[in-house]
Structure formats: C-alpha cells, structure tokens
Amino acid sequence: MMCCPNHDAVLLSVRGLKTYFDVAGMALKAVDGVSFDVRRGETFGIVGESGCGKSIAALSIMRLVRTPPGRYAGGEIRFGGRDILGMSDAEIHALRGREISIIFQEPMTALNPVFTIGNQLEEVIRLHQRTTKKAARAIALDWLKKVKLPNPVEVLRSYPFTLSGGMRQRVMIAAALASGPKLLIADEPTTALDVTIQAQILDLIRAMKDETGVSCIFITHDLGVISEMADRVMVMYSGKVCEIAPTAELMAHPLHPYTSLLINSRPMAKGSTKRLVTIPGSVPSLRDKPPGCPFHPRCPNAQNRCASAFPPEYHAGSDHLLYCWNYAPGGVVHG
C-alpha cells in the first residue's frame, strides 16, 4: 500500500480492513481488505455507488458498527499511532467526538427530537471539555454563530423538528467541530438537501476546515462534489478499493474502468453535446458478490482472469494506485 512521503504527515492509517456482517450463516463482506491513509490537514474523498461500502468504512473508523451482527474480521486502524480496533470501550468513547467526529447525511436521525438544540450541543461540549453548563452554553452559542445560523439564541431554544434541513445540518457541523477534533468524517452530508442549500453547506465545511485545520474524510456518490472538496480520492466498489489518486489527476486521467465510467456518467453542463454514458447492471448485493474483481461482470475491459482472482496493487505513480488486471503484467491497457 502506498504511503505518504512523510510518515509524520499520516493522521489515520487503515490497513487491510475487513468489516463483515454475519447473517443467516453467511459472512457478508461489506468492507473487504481496504487500505488507505488520511494525511494531516487534507480532505480525503471516498466515492462510489450506493452499496459500495463507503459508509461502513467510515463507521468502522469510529467503531460504530453494531456487533453483532457486524464484526471486524481483520486489518488495522491506527489513529495518531494508536490502534482503534484494540481500544477498550472507555478509550473509544473518549476518542469519539473529542478527536474524531462525524456528520451524518440525515441530521434528523442524529438529533434527538425531544431535546432542544441547546441541550444537545451543551451535552456534547460538557462531555468532552469538562466545563460548566453556563460555559458550555456560551461555547454552543459561539459555534452556532460560526456556522452562520440566523438568530442563534433562538436556535438554542428550538427543537430539531422546527428547523429546516439546512439549519439542522449546520447544527450538526457545529456539534462535530465544537470539541476541536483532529479528524472530521462527513458522510454524504448534503444528500438530503436541495442544490442551493447543498452549495452553502459545502462552502461552510470548507471554511470551517480552513479555520480549524481539521483533517476530513468526505464521503459521497457525487463526483462533482468530490472534485470540489477533496485533495485525494479513493474509489470503492463492492467493499473493495478500485483506485486512489490526487483529485485533479483522477478526474483528468482515470485508469480503473469503474472510475472512468463513473466520471463519464456524470450529467454534462447545459449545451454539451457529449453523449451520457451509463454503467450497465448494478452493484451486487453482499449475498451475491462475484469472485475475482467484483466489477468484472459490468466491466467493458474484463479479461478471463478478472473472474478468478482479485488483481494485485499497481502503482501508476508515487501517489496513484489501482487494482486492475489490465495493468498487471501481461494485461492489456485500454485507451
């Protein structure tokens, strides 16, 4: 697995992560041997169709996968040199929120509808900063101002269901950043929002990241969003890594067939004459994953060996890797 040129720059290191779900006597491999690094201060994008394992990988980092039926079947997650999978319950509870925070895609399911916004923000702040209730309320109010919520005093007294989706997501950003985490995970934070509000939330996340210096994992199925937000991108498919590269390089010169198809299937700007490309078929269910490279049944460049074994890692440059038999010895690279 490719490493950063400067090992001190690595904040999070994931190696060979396997997160499985034991259901009806089967081991469903949601994340299957995934490896990547997140560097200090960068935004690392994870992209792929729904069902590719993006969110399970993120939940695994915070050890939020419910066990059982889930289990961590192998691999390593090291954060700041510490082994997350080996932490005690007390250690992982201390890590969540204080050092690693998450923004979920639907804030209404993450916010408790029977408590005010102030109650919930204050609880998060007091849990991680050991401060008084009065001081926690002042910090909460300050963060609501930072995320540009109108009338923040009134918002503190409000219940989640009285706020719009965009306002609730701003509250979630405030809650995630209030304790000064080193790593922020944004799991499709704009999926439930309309286009105008989505743009505002993306601008806010960028601004907050620049202000705080927090590292970020940004998860989405939208390549247009990822091209704006991420420094580097990992493309996932059916629990596996397809390709990892700097964003500009990946968008300009995708090498894995799945990455190429994803990029070409994006809607073009108004007036474009380019024909929209579609990807035949769909992501396989965890119960029916094909052997070998899981993308081979949908791949226009598939070889016979694609159906029998997962491809080895191929380095297309110092910071660009992929897993594709077309780039292995004897493979045929399609232009």
Side-chain angles (χ1 to χ4, degrees), residues 12-254:
L12 176 77
S13 178
V14 178
R15 292 290 177 271
L17 177 63
K18 297 180 180 181
T19 306
Y20 296 172
F21 291 86
D22 296 318
V23 179
M26 297 179 63
L28 307 182
K29 301 177 180 180
V31 175
D32 192 14
V34 167
S35 298
F36 62 92
D37 290 327
V38 177
R39 302 167 186 172
R40 297 181 188 276
E42 82 166 340
T43 297
F44 184 79
I46 304 179
V47 70
E49 294 168 275
S50 297
C52 285
K54 308 183 299 296
S55 292
I56 297 299
L59 292 175
S60 298
I61 291 167
M62 297 188 74
R63 269 200 18 215
L64 286 173
V65 173
R66 182 171 295 178
T67 56
R71 62 183 168 94
Y72 302 105
E76 183 179 70
I77 305 172
R78 300 195 72 83
F79 177 77
R82 293 169 289 168
D83 177 15
I84 287 180
L85 295 183
M87 286 182 176
S88 66
D89 288 345
E91 288 173 323
I92 196 67
H93 282 306
L95 184 81
R96 294 179 190 143
R98 182 182 299 173
E99 298 191 63
I100 305 177
S101 289
I102 188 166
I103 305 169
F104 294 102
Q105 58 181 289
E106 179 41 75
M108 199 59 194
T109 62
L111 292 168
N112 192 320
V114 302
F115 291 100
T116 66
I117 297 300
N119 290 150
Q120 295 180 67
L121 278 178
E122 289 164 29
E123 181 182 17
V124 170
I125 292 164
R126 294 189 71 188
L127 177 65
H128 296 298
Q129 299 189 31
R130 308 295 183 188
T131 187
T132 64
K133 183 175 177 63
K134 183 178 180 180
R137 176 153 288 247
I139 294 169
L141 181 62
D142 184 53
W143 271 101
L144 292 185
K145 292 176 181 177
K146 286 182 178 180
V147 298
K148 296 180 170 55
L149 270 165
N151 200 353
V153 175
E154 182 62 30
V155 171
L156 279 178
R157 295 195 291 259
S158 301
Y159 290 88
F161 58 83
T162 67
L163 304 180
S164 68
M167 292 174 75
R168 288 195 295 265
Q169 200 60 289
R170 288 173 186 267
V171 169
M172 288 300 300
I173 293 170
L177 293 174
S179 296
K182 297 175 182 176
L183 176 64
L184 174 68
I185 300 173
D187 186 7
E188 304 210 39
T190 60
T191 297
L193 306 175
D194 64 51
V195 175
T196 302
I197 303 301
Q198 172 180 288
Q200 293 175 4
I201 295 299
L202 294 178
D203 287 343
L204 177 60
I205 292 174
R206 273 195 297 262
M208 291 293 96
K209 180 185 175 301
D210 291 343
E211 180 180 327
T212 63
V214 65
S215 299
C216 182
I217 296 176
F218 196 96
I219 299 168
T220 183
H221 60 272
D222 189 329
L223 276 164
V225 169
I226 214 71
S227 65
E228 294 180 24
M229 297 296 295
D231 300 303
R232 291 186 303 132
V233 181
M234 175 172 73
V235 181
M236 287 188 69
Y237 184 83
S238 193
K240 294 281 194 182
V241 176
C242 294
E243 190 167 3
I244 302 176
T247 305
E249 183 175 342
L250 187 88
M251 300 300 290
H253 304 290

Side-chain angles (χ1 to χ4, degrees), residues 310-314 322-325 328-329:
F310 189 73
E313 182 176 286
Y314 174 80
L322 69 153
Y323 298 84
C324 180
W325 279 116

